[in-house]
């Protein structure tokens, strides 16, 4: 909970500081760069953020550490080319401060190397706070403050890169030491990598309706990107409150030692996540407009439709994360999880190209909530009709 509070506060501090220092337009460019990098983070993360907490929760002792070590090796290999691509894509979007904006995209991509999922899966909130949340949020706030005298995002970009690298270094040093290349136990490399296929597909296609919209709207409805980016950023802060609950529930359900108790915990986790998501959605719907006014200094107005549709997405996301990463992953139905994300992308992408042009930022939020509803519908079908594999193990393991 302390990590969630700290991250939420840091996000609320950074937004107004940047808007005041560099202006709403440049801030929106930073948001687009971060969204571009967030897609790269999905590629680098390779699904560990989706299925990692549940998977590591089923392991013991040295196998947990080996599971993390394997993830670092694989993700580092992917990080270099993906980071280069994100830098180029983000830099091309801006005429001014293109190098700094490119670095911001790289920092967002390198977040895919993070080990937050490991701490959630192993129920280690203190380590999460000290090794990941504290250094990352501190550097983010310091970088934002440094933009005030310079009116440039250059130092913020450097701080963002450090905020992505330092937590990874601290976490890796704490868990497996600097001998990360040394093999420790018998977790299968090939099996571990194959197991991430569905998680990667889920996160990648899911980015179409949760991460990429701000980038798409920057092209389909440029005049709406500032308002949409602020609503999206506030929704990201809200999702920071939802995600720890979901990931903690993953570890709790996965730690059940028999099928009956796991099924009971599975049902309880769905109810808990739905109630928590409803609460977050209500708070968001009540506070987003006045908070947006405060954070932007009155420069950005969030329309009612934009706020309501975004709140609806928060509720649906809380439920779909539970039905997907807990219900489907732990019952061996990862293919349904990936299928739900693909359907969400197929439904939302055309709408993101059409609705914002007609209804502005509210149209973008409408497209996202429709896509998330489609995701949840497919997941419910998977839970109702899918079965466990013959071995009783999760697919791909």
């Amino acid at each position: 909970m302390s990590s969630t509070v700290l991250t939420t506060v840091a996000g609320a501090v950074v937004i107004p500081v940047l808007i005041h220092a560099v202006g709403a337009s440049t801030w929106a460019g930073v948001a687009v760069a971060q969204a571009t990098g967030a897609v790269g983070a999905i590629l680098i993360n390779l699904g560990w953020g989706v299925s990692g907490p549940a998977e590591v929760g089923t392991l013991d002792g040295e196998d947990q550490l080996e599971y993390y070590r394997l993830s670092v090796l694989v993700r580092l290999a992917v990080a270099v080319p993906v980071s280069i691509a994100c830098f180029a894509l983000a830099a091309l979007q801006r005429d001014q401060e293109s190098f700094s904006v490119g670095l911001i995209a790289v920092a967002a991509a390198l977040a895919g190397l993070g080990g937050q999922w490991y701490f959630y899966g192993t129920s280690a909130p203190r380590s999460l706070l000290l090794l990941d949340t504290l250094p990352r949020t501190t550097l983010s706030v310091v970088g934002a403050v440094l933009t005030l005298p310079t009116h440039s995002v250059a130092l913020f970009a450097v701080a963002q890169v450090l905020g992505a690298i330092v937590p990874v270094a601290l976490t890796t040093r704490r868990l497996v030491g600097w001998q990360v290349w040394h093999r420790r136990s018998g977790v299968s490399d090939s099996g571990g990598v194959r197991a991430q296929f569905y998680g990667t597909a889920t996160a990648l296609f899911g980015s179409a309706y949760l991460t990429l919209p701000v980038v798409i709207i920057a092209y389909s409805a440029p005049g709406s990107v500032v308002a949409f980016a602020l609503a999206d950023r506030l929704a990201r802060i809200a999702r920071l409150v939802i995600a720890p609950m979901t990931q903690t529930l993953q570890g709790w359900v996965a730690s059940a030692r028999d099928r009956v108790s796991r099924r009971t915990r599975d049902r309880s986790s769905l109810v808990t996540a739905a109630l928590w998501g409803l609460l977050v959605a209500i708070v968001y719907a009540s506070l987003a407009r006045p908070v947006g006014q405060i954070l932007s200094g009155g420069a950005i107005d969030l329309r009612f439709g934009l706020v309501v549709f975004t709140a609806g997405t928060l509720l649906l996301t809380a439920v779909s994360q539970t039905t997907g990463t807990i219900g489907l992953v732990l019952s061996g139905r990862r293919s349904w999880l990936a299928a739900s994300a693909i359907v969400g992308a197929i439904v939302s992408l055309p709408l993101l190209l059409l609705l914002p042009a007609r209804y502005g930022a509210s149209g973008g939020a409408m497209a996202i909530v429709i896509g998330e509803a489609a995701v949840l519908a497919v997941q419910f079908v998977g839970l109702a009709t899918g079965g466990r594999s013959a071995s009783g193990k999760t697919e791909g393991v």
Side-chain angles (χ1 to χ4, degrees):
M1 182 60 72
S2 55
S3 292
T4 301
V5 171
L6 188 58
T7 302
T8 303
V9 171
V13 169
V14 168
I15 292 173
V17 171
L18 285 180
I19 292 177
H20 176 74
V22 302
S25 177
T26 299
W27 172 80
V30 170
V32 171
Q34 289 176 327
T36 302
V39 178
I42 292 169
L43 294 173
I44 294 173
N45 187 259
L46 285 176
W48 267 282
V50 176
S51 57
E55 293 286 353
V56 80
T58 64
L59 302 175
D60 296 309
E62 287 294 309
D63 282 347
Q64 288 183 333
L65 299 178
E66 170 62 14
Y67 187 75
Y68 174 79
R69 185 202 68 86
L70 168 64
S71 79
V72 173
L73 289 178
V74 175
R75 289 181 291 157
L76 281 174
V78 179
V80 175
V82 170
S83 296
I84 293 173
C86 288
F87 178 89
L89 289 172
L92 289 174
Q93 295 173 6
R94 302 291 298 182
D95 295 328
Q96 297 180 336
E97 298 197 85
S98 58
F99 184 80
S100 297
V101 170
L103 284 182
I104 290 171
V106 170
L110 291 178
L113 292 172
Q116 299 96 325
W117 57 269
Y118 180 91
F119 296 126
Y120 286 122
T122 57
S123 300
R126 185 172 180 273
S127 295
L128 173 64
L129 175 64
L130 297 179
L131 299 177
D132 186 278
T133 306
L134 190 58
R136 174 168 44 82
T137 55
T138 299
L139 285 164
S140 182
V141 171
V142 169
V145 171
L146 291 176
T147 64
L148 291 172
T150 63
H151 300 289
S152 169
V153 295
L155 292 177
F156 177 72
V158 173
Q160 289 285 287
V161 173
L162 290 175
I165 294 175
V166 170
V168 176
L170 292 175
T171 299
T172 302
R173 175 67 180 88
R174 172 67 177 82
L175 295 179
V176 297
W178 296 127
Q179 293 182 343
V180 66
W181 314 104
H182 175 65
R183 186 164 186 80
R184 288 173 173 262
S185 67
V187 175
S188 168
D189 281 14
S190 60
V193 175
R194 286 198 307 270
Q196 305 314 311
F197 172 77
Y198 292 117
T200 303
T202 300
L204 188 59
F205 282 98
S207 69
Y209 55 89
L210 291 180
T211 304
L212 272 180
V214 67
V215 179
I216 298 173
I217 290 174
Y219 291 99
S220 64
S224 303
V225 69
V226 174
F228 184 87
L230 181 57
D232 178 70
R233 191 50 50 93
L234 293 177
R236 287 175 182 272
I237 293 175
R239 283 199 289 270
L240 290 175
V241 180
I242 293 174
M245 174 66 75
T246 304
Q247 292 178 316
T248 299
L249 289 171
Q250 283 188 56
W252 177 62
V253 175
S255 65
R257 295 306 178 187
D258 60 79
R259 185 173 298 182
V260 174
S261 60
R262 177 173 290 184
R263 188 176 298 122
T264 301
R265 291 187 180 188
D266 196 358
R267 289 194 293 266
S268 298
S269 70
L270 177 59
V271 174
T272 301
L275 292 175
W276 184 247
L278 178 61
L279 176 61
V280 172
I282 292 173
V283 173
Y284 180 92
S286 303
L287 299 180
R289 295 192 75 184
V291 169
Q293 287 281 328
I294 294 171
L295 295 183
S296 66
I300 305 174
D301 179 39
L302 302 182
R303 299 291 180 88
F304 178 77
L306 172 60
V307 171
V308 170
F309 287 133
T310 304
T313 299
L314 289 172
L315 171 58
L316 294 178
T317 299
V319 177
S320 68
Q321 285 182 351
T322 307
T323 55
T325 59
I326 296 177
L328 293 175
V329 169
L330 292 178
S331 61
R333 308 173 205 177
R334 291 189 183 194
S335 58
W336 279 97
L337 180 61
S340 70
I342 293 171
V343 169
I346 292 173
V347 170
S348 62
L349 278 176
L351 296 178
L352 281 168
L353 293 173
L354 297 174
L355 294 180
R358 182 174 179 83
Y359 301 108
S362 297
M366 187 191 308
I368 297 171
V369 75
I370 293 172
E372 187 65 44
V375 168
L376 190 58
V378 173
Q379 290 182 355
F380 276 131
V381 172
L383 288 173
T385 64
R388 294 185 61 86
S389 61
S391 64
K393 295 181 180 180
T394 305
E395 292 178 22
V397 177

